[in-house]
Amino acid sequence: MSGKAPKKPMTAKRLKNLVLSVVTNPFNLIVLISLVMLICLVAVPLVSVLKTTFTLARAEARRAGGQVGDFTLYYWKYLFASKLSMATFWRPLSHSLLISFFTCLIAVPFGSIMAWLMVRSDLPGKSVLSLLIIVPYMIPSWCKSMAWLSVFRNARGGSPGFLEGLGIAVPDWLAYGPVAIIMVMVLHYYAYSYIMVSGTLQSINSELEEMGEIQGANKLQIIRSITLPLVLPAVLSGLIMTLSKTLGAYGVPANLGLRIGYYTLSTRMYDALGAGTKGIGYAMALLMVFMASGCIFANKIITGTRKSYATIGGKGGHSNVLHLGKAKYPLMIFLIVFLIVALFVPMMILVLESFQVSTGAGYGLDNLTLYNWIGDLSEAPKNVNFPGIFKNPDFTKALWNTVRLTVIASIITAFCGQFFGYVSTRGRGKWYGSLIEQLVFVPYLIPSIAFGAIFLGMFSVKHGPIPSLYGTFALVVLVSVVKHFPFASRSGMANMMQISTELEEAADVAGASFWQRIFRIVLPLSKNGFLSGMMLVFITIAKELDVIALLMTPSTRTLSYLAFVYSADALPQMADAISIVMVVFIMLSYLIANKVFHADISKSMG
């Protein structure tokens, strides 16, 4: 008689043996530590913030007519159905959706078309243009908003910009508000579509398009019927990523919108948390998480249900260019003019403005000064209470904070990413591998400003042995590390998948312990990938503003936040000088990442 063996009951001895098998097996221990870390740093903060939005705080207890700690729907009703909900939630939400819609409408097609021109056409000068096209992505979006202000700022902003200085009146709708925000975001986020579509086009065998040409199809028919269906998943991914990023952006809307009272959901949430109404602010943060997650999962559903096509075959592939004919030189000129207008002119004006005594008063010798860079406080112009940035202790402290934040956070993140990648790849098809892969991806779903708000809510009070981290540099590091888990983990997974398990199995047969296999085989072979991933995270953190904006205090300010503060305080020349230092720092980091560590910029989506 056959049958399944009866299941043994869980006894204390059996439970003890199971626990010992986990803690004494190094791989199981790494899995356990990874799961505990991700649950505590990703899942628990989300649950904690959700709980806060249903728990009555002291500040609202009298208004809501309840006791502190009671269950309440007050914060959600305040957002959706109160007298102030229009100003607090619905209007900012409509502004965020409007900005995201038009940014996607312009940036996604523009980036996709440029990718096709660089990969699939015979456009002259592609080697130089393809590099220059990606340069705007290297510059932080908040730096682009500073450049926009240096050109279009009018008297409403406290001091005239370049055009006002030439006597050209700049209306508010062009200097600030939705038009300015959309244009700046387009100049930054078109890179998402460009990177994704160009990567896909490079992997597609152009014989498919040549076959269409042999059948008599013209260029437009080939693009519409062959190329576009093949790159549609990449286009949709670029669209969803752009949409989710713009919905949660803070730096650009704050710089270009608050001067005329134009609020988005992110800037209104920042104000709510700053004013002490944390329940309302956290409710907004969760709504932003919900919208961003909806965008990501919509992309997964759309790309997962459409027909798929095999584009890489066993015969090998080649990529022939399509001839543009007479259009190639006009297109090349258009791209050159675009890069000059969108990149070089604003940055040049940003540099020149940093040397002006009064913005908008021309560039004669009588209006040029080095004060904003090296001036002493005794020589300060009227209404300026700070020395030049290189003699300003606030700048020195912000520079030190930026360097140590990027170094510490990138090293920690890269190490975590390698271990998460190791567990995910070695645990493929097993529950813990899938769970870790899913948990690591969660921070990617959360808009940056909302992510900072969630961690502020979680770690602003003491939790058992963990002290309150409010206002500490440790909290800034922690948020920066966890937010960039997805990038580091993706790099780690790609790295570990290149290391065959046969090497570890052979070492195991030879009698090597787990840690000997890790330190003598896995780590040496993954060194280059580790350094590459670390540099990519380093660069992304260096230009970050949104994720740390809510956490900043005078002692933890970074260069990006200091530039933002000076701009808001009507000190544009010093804000410009700090922005220039940041751009130089980031560009040098990119140069080191690409030349020394051979890091691929397309892996860094910050």
Side-chain angles (χ1 to χ4, degrees):
M1 183 174 180
S2 62
K4 291 184 178 179
K7 191 174 181 181
K8 294 181 180 180
M10 179 60 70
T11 62
K13 184 176 180 180
R14 190 179 177 206
L15 178 61
K16 178 183 176 182
N17 290 334
L18 286 174
V19 172
L20 287 174
S21 70
V22 171
V23 298
T24 57
N25 184 313
F27 180 76
N28 290 341
L29 189 60
I30 290 177
V31 172
L32 178 62
I33 292 172
S34 299
L35 285 172
V36 171
M37 183 186 303
L38 289 171
I39 290 171
C40 291
L41 295 177
V42 176
V44 172
L46 274 173
V47 174
S48 175
V49 167
L50 179 63
K51 180 183 175 183
T52 301
T53 63
F54 291 103
T55 305
L56 196 60
R58 186 181 303 277
E60 290 82 28
R62 179 177 295 180
R63 254 177 296 169
Q67 300 295 320
V68 176
D70 286 351
F71 174 84
T72 183
L73 294 174
Y74 171 81
Y75 302 113
W76 296 98
K77 289 179 179 177
Y78 183 92
L79 281 184
F80 294 131
S82 72
K83 294 180 180 179
L84 296 175
S85 61
M86 180 59 70
T88 303
F89 176 70
W90 293 113
R91 191 175 294 119
L93 175 63
S94 67
H95 292 166
S96 293
L97 293 175
L98 176 75
I99 290 168
S100 297
F101 174 78
F102 281 103
T103 300
C104 292
L105 186 66
I106 302 170
V108 174
F110 186 57
S112 302
I113 291 170
M114 283 199 294
W116 182 84
L117 288 173
M118 292 299 112
V119 178
R120 277 287 191 263
S121 77
D122 62 341
L123 189 75
K126 289 195 298 183
S127 59
V128 176
L129 287 173
S130 60
L131 175 62
L132 294 178
I133 284 172
I134 209 66
V135 168
Y137 173 72
M138 302 179 189
I139 301 171
S141 57
W142 59 266
C143 276
K144 294 186 181 73
S145 68
M146 302 287 291
W148 182 276
L149 288 173
S150 69
V151 177
F152 295 101
R153 188 176 54 247
N154 60 22
R156 182 79 169 262
S159 57
F162 177 76
L163 293 179
E164 286 264 338
L166 296 177
I168 302 173
V170 179
D172 282 353
W173 66 263
L174 180 59
Y176 320 107
V179 172
I181 295 170
I182 290 168
M183 292 307 298
V184 169
M185 287 190 171
V186 166
L187 293 176
H188 186 72
Y189 290 115
Y190 78 82
Y192 283 146
S193 297
Y194 174 82
I195 291 170
M196 291 188 170
V197 174
S198 61
T200 300
L201 286 171
Q202 287 169 0
S203 67
I204 295 175
N205 191 336
S206 62
E207 287 180 353
L208 299 168
E209 295 162 319
E210 290 169 8
M211 290 172 65
E213 194 171 5
I214 291 171
Q215 295 298 319
N218 59 39
K219 291 182 177 65
L220 289 177
Q221 288 174 323
I222 291 171
I223 293 171
R224 184 178 64 250
S225 303
I226 299 175
T227 309
L228 186 58
L230 293 176
V231 301
L232 187 59
V235 174
L236 289 173
S237 294
L239 170 66
I240 298 301
M241 184 176 290
T242 303
L243 182 62
S244 63
K245 288 288 185 181
T246 51
L247 279 173
Y250 171 76
V252 176
N255 231 352
L256 300 178
L258 295 184
R259 297 165 193 265
I260 59 169
Y262 188 87
Y263 284 89
T264 62
L265 199 57
S266 59
T267 53
R268 183 59 80 182
M269 184 194 75
Y270 184 94
D271 281 2
L273 292 171
T277 51
K278 293 183 179 180
I280 296 169
Y282 294 145
M284 291 182 183
L286 290 173
L287 289 170
M288 292 170 69
V289 172
F290 176 77
M291 289 189 293
S293 302
C295 293
I296 301 295
F297 288 117
N299 176 53
K300 187 174 181 180
I301 291 171
I302 293 171
T303 58
T305 55
R306 67 180 298 277
K307 292 181 180 180
S308 60
Y309 306 93
T311 60
I312 302 175
K315 295 190 298 181
H318 69 281
S319 179
N320 292 336
V321 298
L322 293 178
H323 298 285
L324 296 173
K326 295 180 180 180
K328 64 181 179 181
Y329 288 105
L331 284 170
M332 181 187 71
I333 293 171
F334 168 77
L335 286 178
I336 292 172
V337 171
F338 164 75
L339 290 170
I340 290 173
V341 173
L343 176 63
F344 295 108
V345 172
M347 294 307 298
M348 181 183 68
I349 293 175
L350 197 71
V351 172
L352 290 174
E353 189 175 83
S354 71
F355 290 99
Q356 285 188 304
V357 177
S358 300
T359 60
Y363 299 96
L365 292 177
D366 59 334
N367 194 44
L368 295 180
T369 180
L370 292 173
Y371 178 83
N372 302 308
W373 293 90
I374 58 172
D376 290 317
L377 193 56
S378 59
E379 307 165 355
K382 186 179 179 181
N383 299 326
V384 175
N385 299 317
F386 301 97
I389 63 169
F390 289 139
K391 294 188 176 181
N392 188 339
D394 289 341
F395 172 82
T396 306
K397 186 183 296 182
L399 177 61
W400 168 239
N401 285 339
T402 301
V403 171
R404 65 177 178 148
L405 171 64
T406 50
V407 170
I408 295 171
S410 61
I411 291 174
I412 296 173
T413 308
F415 268 112
C416 291
Q418 295 301 309
F419 278 103
F420 293 151
Y422 181 80
V423 174
S424 297
T425 53
R426 300 303 186 256
R428 278 289 172 91
K430 299 179 180 178
W431 68 270
Y432 58 82
S434 300
L435 181 57
I436 287 175
E437 197 169 344
Q438 294 298 322
L439 286 173
V440 162
F441 186 70
V442 170
Y444 183 77
L445 303 177
I446 305 174
S448 295
I449 188 70
F451 193 84
I454 288 169
F455 268 68
L456 182 65
M458 175 69 181
F459 293 99
S460 59
V461 295
K462 182 179 179 181
H463 294 281
I466 303 174
S468 170
L469 299 179
Y470 179 77
T472 65
F473 184 74
L475 181 57
V476 181
V477 172
L478 181 63
V479 170
S480 300
V481 167
V482 180
K483 178 60 179 174
H484 296 95
F485 272 170
F487 308 122
S489 178
R490 183 170 60 177
S491 175
M493 288 179 65
N495 202 11
M496 294 302 169
M497 288 179 72
Q498 295 175 0
I499 302 174
S500 174
T501 55
E502 293 176 356
L503 297 172
E504 293 180 77
E505 291 168 359
D508 189 23
V509 171
S513 67
F514 175 82
W515 295 114
Q516 286 176 322
R517 300 196 299 270
I518 290 293
F519 286 107
R520 294 189 179 184
I521 297 175
V522 176
L523 291 183
L525 291 176
S526 64
K527 180 181 66 174
N528 290 336
F530 168 80
L531 292 173
S532 177
M534 185 189 75
M535 287 304 301
L536 290 169
V537 174
F538 179 97
I539 294 162
T540 307
I541 294 174
K543 63 183 185 179
E544 186 63 72
L545 172 62
D546 294 357
V547 76
I548 60 175
L550 283 166
L551 312 175
M552 292 288 95
T553 63
S555 63
T556 61
R557 285 176 178 172
T558 60
L559 286 179
S560 56
Y561 189 77
L562 186 63
F564 175 76
V565 169
Y566 279 5
S567 177
D569 290 343
L571 295 170
Q573 299 98 316
M574 289 189 179
D576 294 343
I578 296 171
S579 300
I580 294 162
V581 173
M582 276 297 304
V583 170
V584 171
F585 178 71
I586 291 166
M587 295 297 288
L588 287 175
S589 300
Y590 270 113
L591 183 63
I592 294 171
N594 290 323
K595 298 298 182 184
V596 179
F597 299 105
H598 307 290
D600 182 5
I601 185 178
S602 65
K603 293 179 183 177
S604 175
M605 291 294 175

